[in-house]
Amino acid sequence: AIGICLSLAAPPLVALAVAWPQPQPSSPPRMAAPNWLLDGRPLRWGIIGCGDVTEKKSGPGFQRANGSELAAVMRRDAAKAADYAERHQVPSWHSDVDALLADASVDAVYIATPPGAHLETALRVAAAGKPCYVEKPMGRSYDEAAQMAAAFAEARVPLFVAYYRRAYPRYQQVRALLRTGELGRLTSVRYELERRAPTGSSGTAGVAGGGGGWRVDVATSGGGLFVDVGSHLLDLLDFLLGPLHDVRGRAARKAPDASPAQPEDFVEMQFAAADGVTGTATWDFWAEDDLEVLQFVGDRGTLTLPDPMNGVENILDNDGSPPMSWVTNPPTPSVQEPLIQSVVDAVRAVNASLCPSLAESGLRTAAYIDVVLEASTVGASTGIGKTPQLGQSMLGGTRRRTAYSVSPSFEQHGASDGADMRAG
């Protein structure tokens, strides 16, 4: 059994050997120019799930972006919805999804709930014909993400995914540097994350602190911290290197006394990218120390990014030259503002390609996650939706995720009003 010690037998690495379909309409989406575009007024947003992620990371971005306004918010708890609206000077609030979607002042919707509510809510937004910006990960599984993409493609309205680091100045610089050949021919990529195991805790429930919350509840999050935190790195790799292939991985539980219902706390992955680039990545949420580093190696130099998710330092070491270090600060005060601006620009121009984070790339990230975790028996009894697009033949018929007869409804799930999403 996979369990306490990584030296125990672990599932073999399994390759991503198939191409997943991209749900697309028969021709590029053509939106009729809406009234707000014709009369020149700003794009007015409504937020579904105004929890912690919207307090600083995203919410202010809708108010600060050019050509954008935050018109309404929704939270199941009416008192909390009203409080948020008052504190952030939002004109209206609702305690029901359909009421927000029917609000004539709302042109576009931001879904800021935990992933367990994304599919159901997104389908309602698509049916209402409103452009949508959904928090990451796109869904709890590739299957859910594909259903969302298909619904918006059919409705001919755009769907954007909040992988906001694609628009970070730091990663715009890194992408340009990799493409200019500063490192020579890129040969390999290495990522490593370690997070210290909490003292006195047992089981994955303690990893995130405070019992782990919804992030280690598979029905709500789709998996453990790898799904929540790791999805950002996988999306960044896709953004910087292009689509990944030959994805292989395995997962394990290192926490002592972890129950079969608890998700993975250790994941390792191998992958390849264009032009022969190979890579490795590991996530260890039960480690002895804290560490995070992303490194790109070429035949003429190395680029190292300490603390790649939230840090600022970049170190370039070219062969024969002294190392060069520089700082790239994140956007302030709202880290999502650059991506939100690109979403606003894309919707106003009726040109989704102006945003770097679309349903298509979000689908690929969902596929990477599923392939890595379906290679393992970890979480097999706690899963949340089949991924037939990834193929039984590749996995020998075993699946990490078994289907629910009914997905948790937005109104019934306790975390669906946008609980603390700080790790995102």
Side-chain angles (χ1 to χ4, degrees):
I2 300 173
I4 299 172
C5 168
L6 290 181
S7 63
L8 297 178
L13 298 176
V14 175
L16 173 56
V18 297
W20 47 87
Q22 304 295 341
Q24 298 288 342
S26 57
S27 60
R30 295 187 299 272
M31 295 189 300
N35 291 334
W36 52 263
L37 184 59
L38 294 176
D39 64 20
R41 62 178 170 80
L43 177 63
R44 299 175 302 185
W45 287 90
I47 297 179
I48 296 176
C50 47
D52 279 4
V53 70
T54 68
E55 291 286 345
K56 293 183 179 180
K57 283 188 173 183
S58 59
F62 295 99
Q63 296 171 311
R64 291 171 51 85
N66 294 326
S68 173
E69 290 180 357
L70 180 55
V73 295
M74 176 270 156
R75 191 163 182 167
R76 289 187 309 113
D77 186 319
K80 290 182 178 180
D83 173 70
Y84 186 98
E86 180 179 1
R87 287 186 294 104
H88 292 276
Q89 299 180 325
V90 181
S92 64
W93 59 268
H94 303 278
S95 59
D96 176 77
V97 173
D98 292 328
L100 180 135
L101 294 178
D103 189 331
S105 72
V106 173
D107 304 312
V109 175
Y110 167 40
I111 300 174
T113 71
H118 285 184
L119 173 60
E120 180 182 343
T121 310
L123 294 181
R124 291 156 80 170
V125 175
K130 297 181 185 292
C132 183
Y133 177 68
V134 62
E135 264 303 327
K136 63 85 208 163
M138 191 170 165
R140 295 175 298 175
S141 66
Y142 175 87
D143 180 64
E144 290 192 349
Q147 290 182 61
M148 293 164 62
F152 280 88
E154 182 177 356
R156 295 188 180 277
V157 290
L159 174 62
F160 309 93
V161 187
Y163 285 114
Y164 55 87
R165 287 179 176 85
R166 283 180 174 246
Y168 262 26
R170 185 185 198 188
Y171 286 106
Q172 294 288 328
Q173 291 177 3
V174 169
R175 194 178 195 220
L177 189 150
L178 294 177
R179 293 187 172 193
T180 58
E182 186 73 25
L183 304 181
R185 184 180 69 85
L186 188 64
T187 58
S188 64
V189 180
R190 178 181 67 91
Y191 173 77
E192 185 177 358
L193 179 143
E194 295 181 358
R195 289 292 177 261
R196 193 189 309 268
T199 304
S201 298
S202 83
T204 314
V207 173
W214 61 265
R215 291 180 183 81
V216 293
D217 173 16
V218 177
T220 304
S221 67
L225 294 180
F226 167 68
V227 175
D228 179 53
V229 178
S231 61
H232 267 303
L233 185 278
L234 294 175
D235 180 77
L236 269 180
L237 293 175
D238 184 278
F239 175 65
L240 297 171
L241 305 175
L244 308 182
H245 57 88
D246 294 335
V247 175
R248 304 166 180 264
R250 60 182 177 181
R253 301 186 188 97
K254 291 179 65 179
D257 304 322
S259 76
Q262 290 174 333
E264 65 289 337
D265 55 29
F266 177 88
V267 174
E268 61 180 4
M269 168 183 163
Q270 297 174 4
F271 60 90
D275 301 322
V277 176
T278 60
T280 62
T282 60
W283 294 261
D284 186 349
F285 298 102
W286 205 267
E288 296 182 356
D289 210 342
D290 291 325
L291 169 72
E292 188 179 19
V293 64
L294 175 61
Q295 188 172 69
F296 300 89
V297 178
D299 59 10
R300 293 208 312 266
T302 300
L303 175 64
T304 302
L305 308 178
D307 191 10
M309 291 297 103
N310 300 303
V312 298
E313 186 181 15
N314 313 277
I315 304 170
L316 178 62
D317 189 356
N318 280 338
D319 291 348
S321 302
M324 179 175 67
S325 175
W326 72 96
V327 167
T328 310
N329 290 313
T332 57
S334 171
V335 293
Q336 293 200 29
E337 185 178 341
L339 185 61
I340 290 171
Q341 183 67 67
S342 76
V343 171
V344 172
D345 293 343
V347 176
R348 291 182 62 82
V350 198
N351 182 0
S353 66
L354 295 178
C355 175
S357 188
L358 304 174
E360 181 179 1
S361 57
L363 274 172
R364 292 197 298 269
T365 298
Y368 306 148
I369 293 170
D370 274 15
V371 167
V372 169
L373 295 185
E374 286 196 12
S376 169
T377 57
V378 170
S381 63
T382 59
I384 42 79
K386 296 178 181 179
T387 53
Q389 293 86 348
L390 297 179
Q392 285 193 348
S393 60
M394 178 183 65
L395 300 173
T398 61
R399 298 197 181 280
R400 167 181 167 261
R401 298 172 174 183
T402 56
Y404 284 123
S405 57
V406 181
S407 63
S409 78
F410 183 91
E411 284 80 7
Q412 292 175 349
H413 202 291
S416 294
D417 60 356
D420 178 7
M421 299 184 75
R422 285 171 292 180

